[in-house]
Amino acid sequence: MMDNKINRSIHCSVRNCAYNNAEQGYCKLDTISIGTHEANPTEKKCTDCESFMLRSGCSGSSCNG
């Protein structure tokens, strides 16, 4: 079952992502895709987890799941 699966190679603190295992702080995916929204990224805030998917029951800054 995917809900209990974790990938110990990918730490994640984004609790409103559908792939986050909030109990253990890891991602459930085998691999993730990282990208950028900048032409020339120079800081962490310039990068994005392109594998992110909003957890069901979450909206904006609130998450019930």
Side-chain angles (χ1 to χ4, degrees):
M1 175 184 248
M2 187 167 206
D3 285 342
N4 296 324
K5 178 183 175 185
I6 61 170
N7 181 336
R8 292 191 186 277
S9 296
I10 307 173
H11 293 269
C12 181
S13 61
V14 183
R15 297 177 68 98
N16 61 339
C17 180
Y19 303 119
N20 176 266
N21 182 309
E23 295 172 4
Q24 298 183 44
Y26 291 99
C27 183
K28 299 175 190 177
L29 297 175
D30 292 329
T31 61
I32 59 172
S33 179
I34 304 296
T36 183
H37 55 273
E38 302 285 336
N40 183 27
T42 58
E43 301 177 65
K44 278 197 279 187
K45 66 182 179 180
C46 299
T47 61
D48 305 296
C49 179
E50 294 179 342
S51 301
F52 173 83
M53 180 182 291
L54 185 63
R55 182 185 304 268
S56 177
C58 294
S59 63
S61 62
S62 66
C63 182
N64 300 325

